[in-house]
């Protein structure tokens, strides 16, 4: 643990309502932003108010952002959830998610550096979109060099917690929040899975040539398996024909869930991170797959291009986020738990893999780090490299494994060494 951060490396910030922490991004001077939303107990379906917290490099809430470091937004369009966040070069923040009650629309919000709604973006800082389904939600966001905002998400007739939602999408907005009608079909590109199937978009990355890479889950709704799906769009939103007419490839995951996609800009590799049913002894394990720059499987990584973790003590793991450090090592973050325990507890769980796919035994305890914040279910939802030697994990504490919201936002920072 980095003992210069918070209390012996950990920070817990309680809020008046239960909270779902979704993403993290760099703040000036070594600090961090955390994007979250309040929500009901149980599952994160209809959300509540958007919350952004800003911490300094020592883990203290900053006083010049929001109200004593916390910006809380009640939007007139209804309760909101957050899926992803990005910071523009000028310091303004862009959040994406969904908004509404039983009918939810895509939500894009921009905040000023002080945590207020940015009146120069869309309608008083808020842009929404309805693609004709009962649910539209943004899962990830990136800002292009010209200030355009690119959003990846999913749309369909069911909420995400109820199962596959239907189709994925990529939407682009100009720097003023208006729809970029020159992108795809009037500002939006729909990503469809196989015939009779679905595409659940989870993450995106911008390539150096302006192309847009999207990772998600796909499969047939009536089937019992799930496949990783990767889509590649040209800068104008048209599918890249190198991946077929639809610009989509299915590198395989097998009874798993993809949660993040990360690009190693030095090697050009793409990593798909998530969880899968273990082929060795059952249970759920961290899963990591490597793709070549042409998005084919990198057979030199692990076993046939993929690795699954095996924790000690019969623990299982769900991975939510991934980052690549300056030496090409891949860090995964999520939660670890023992399902046979009479009183299940979950910990922040981190693992580091070498570029060969082997677990890095020099990291933590034989490749693993587990961090508890007291009783309950501790889930790391986002990883953030604050420097070459500082890694921040952000999530929340919940009362049980069946809840997505909890009473507090939790952060832990680690010293990575060399």
């Amino acid at each position: 643990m980095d003992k210069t951060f918070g209390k012996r490396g950990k920070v817990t910030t309680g809020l008046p309502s239960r909270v779902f922490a979704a993403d993290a991004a760099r703040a000036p001077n070594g600090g961090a932003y955390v994007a979250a939303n309040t929500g009901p107990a149980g599952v994160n379906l209809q959300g509540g108010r958007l919350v952004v917290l800003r911490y300094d490099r020592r883990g203290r809430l900053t006083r010049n952002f929001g109200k004593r470091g916390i910006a809380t937004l009640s939007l007139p369009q209804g309760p909101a959830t957050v899926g992803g966040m990005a910071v523009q070069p000028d310091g303004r923040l862009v959040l994406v998610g969904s908004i509404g009650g039983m009918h939810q629309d895509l939500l894009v919000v921009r905040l000023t550096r002080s945590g207020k709604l940015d009146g120069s973006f869309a309608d008083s800082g808020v842009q929404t979109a309805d693609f004709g389904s009962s649910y539209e939600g943004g899962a990830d966001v990136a800002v292009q060099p010209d200030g355009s905002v690119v959003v990846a998400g999913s749309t369909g007739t069911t909420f995400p917690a109820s199962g596959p939602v239907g189709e994925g999408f990529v939407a682009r907005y100009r720097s003023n929040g208006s729809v970029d009608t020159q992108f795809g079909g009037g500002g939006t590109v729909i990503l469809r899975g196989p015939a009779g199937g679905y595409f659940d978009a989870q993450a995106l990355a911008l390539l150096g040539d302006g192309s847009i890479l999207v990772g998600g889950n796909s499969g047939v709704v009536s089937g019992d398996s799930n496949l990783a799906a990767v889509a590649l769009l040209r800068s104008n939103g048209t599918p890249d024909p190198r991946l077929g007419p639809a610009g989509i490839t299915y590198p395989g995951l097998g009874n798993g869930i993809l949660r993040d996609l990360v690009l190693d800009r030095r090697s050009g590799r793409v990593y798909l991170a998530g969880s899968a049913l273990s082929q060795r002894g059952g249970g759920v394990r961290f899963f990591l797959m490597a793709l070549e720059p042409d998005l084919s499987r990198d057979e030199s990584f692990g076993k046939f291009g993929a690795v699954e973790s095996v924790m000690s003590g019969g623990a299982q793991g769900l991975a939510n986020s991934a980052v690549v450090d300056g030496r090409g090592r891949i860090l995964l973050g999520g939660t670890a738990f023992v399902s046979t325990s009479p009183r299940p507890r979950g910990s922040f769980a981190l693992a580091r893999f070498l570029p060969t796919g082997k677990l890095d035994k020099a990291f933590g305890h034989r490749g693993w780090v587990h961090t508890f914040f007291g009783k309950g279910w501790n889930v790391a939802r986002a990883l953030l490299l604050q420097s070459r030697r500082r890694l921040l994990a952000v999530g929340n504490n919940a009362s049980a494994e069946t809840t997505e919201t909890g009473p507090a936002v939790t952060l832990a920072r680690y010293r990575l060494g060399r």
Side-chain angles (χ1 to χ4, degrees):
M1 303 299 298
D2 180 359
K3 295 180 181 179
T4 68
F5 182 81
K7 186 177 181 180
R8 300 183 66 83
K10 296 186 286 187
V11 170
T12 299
T13 304
L15 295 175
S17 302
R18 300 181 67 84
V19 63
F20 175 88
D23 205 1
R26 287 187 181 186
N29 302 319
Y33 294 106
V34 176
N37 60 265
T38 61
V43 295
N44 180 45
L45 278 181
Q46 298 184 28
R49 295 180 295 176
L50 292 182
V51 181
V52 181
L53 306 93
R54 179 175 168 179
Y55 298 87
D56 66 17
R57 61 187 180 87
R58 294 190 178 275
R60 301 168 300 194
L61 289 168
T62 61
R63 294 184 175 274
N64 60 347
F65 181 84
K67 186 177 181 180
R68 297 182 179 179
I70 303 176
T72 304
L73 307 172
S74 296
L75 303 179
Q77 294 88 343
T81 64
V82 63
M85 172 175 58
V87 181
Q88 295 187 171
D90 62 6
R92 288 180 286 187
L93 304 175
V94 180
L95 283 71
V96 298
S98 62
I99 192 162
M102 294 305 297
H103 184 113
Q104 295 187 8
D105 294 336
L106 170 64
L107 173 68
V108 185
V109 172
R110 192 165 75 187
L111 306 182
T112 65
R113 288 178 291 181
S114 63
K116 298 178 180 179
L117 287 171
D118 183 358
S120 67
F121 183 83
D123 182 10
S124 301
V126 180
Q127 175 67 276
T128 63
D130 183 353
F131 302 146
S133 296
S134 57
Y135 172 82
E136 286 89 19
D140 202 3
V141 59
V143 180
Q144 294 182 315
D146 65 354
S148 296
V149 175
V150 181
V151 183
S154 300
T155 176
T157 57
T158 61
F159 292 108
S162 304
V165 295
E167 298 173 332
F169 69 82
V170 179
R172 190 164 73 188
Y173 298 90
R174 298 186 179 93
S175 59
N176 63 0
S178 63
V179 177
D180 185 352
T181 56
Q182 297 182 348
F183 179 79
T188 305
V189 176
I190 298 297
L191 305 173
R192 294 182 172 88
Y198 60 89
F199 191 116
D200 176 25
Q202 291 286 323
L204 69 83
L206 301 180
L207 305 186
D209 62 357
S211 299
I212 302 167
L213 190 65
V214 181
N217 303 290
S218 190
V220 179
V221 175
S222 60
D224 59 358
S225 64
N226 190 77
L227 294 175
V230 176
L232 183 62
L233 303 178
R234 292 169 168 169
S235 59
N236 62 0
T238 58
D240 191 311
R242 290 177 294 176
L243 298 186
I248 300 175
T249 185
Y250 304 95
L253 183 59
N255 294 317
I257 298 293
L258 184 148
R259 290 299 187 194
D260 203 3
L261 171 153
V262 62
L263 174 66
D264 182 353
R265 298 192 181 276
R266 296 193 315 167
S267 67
R269 261 184 178 175
V270 174
Y271 293 102
L272 308 180
S275 308
L277 290 176
S278 175
Q279 301 302 311
R280 294 178 286 173
V284 183
R285 302 286 188 258
F286 280 20
F287 185 90
L288 184 63
M289 180 185 294
L291 306 181
E292 298 274 16
D294 65 359
L295 301 184
S296 63
R297 273 211 201 196
D298 186 344
E299 301 289 345
S300 69
F301 182 82
K303 186 176 181 180
F304 307 118
V307 294
E308 66 173 44
S309 67
V310 178
M311 299 185 205
S312 62
Q316 302 185 56
L318 298 171
N320 294 315
S321 182
V323 294
V324 178
D325 70 14
R327 298 176 61 181
R329 298 170 298 193
I330 311 97
L331 294 119
L332 269 61
T335 186
F337 61 96
V338 179
S339 60
T340 57
S341 172
R343 300 181 67 181
R345 293 178 66 195
S347 69
F348 273 25
L350 307 179
R352 188 167 74 184
F353 296 87
L354 299 172
T356 60
K358 293 183 178 180
L359 196 62
D360 186 356
K361 299 299 180 63
F363 178 77
H365 179 67
R366 299 183 63 81
W368 289 94
V369 172
H370 298 274
T371 305
F372 288 93
F373 292 82
K375 297 179 180 180
W377 201 256
N378 304 284
V379 183
R381 302 195 185 277
L383 296 183
L384 178 64
L385 276 173
Q386 292 186 290
S387 68
R388 290 188 304 170
R389 299 186 180 182
R390 296 289 188 275
L391 175 72
L392 183 69
V394 173
N396 58 272
N397 175 270
S399 58
E401 61 179 297
T402 55
T403 65
E404 294 188 20
T405 57
V409 172
T410 48
L411 303 87
R413 195 165 74 186
Y414 308 87
R415 298 171 67 94
L416 295 179
R418 296 183 178 180

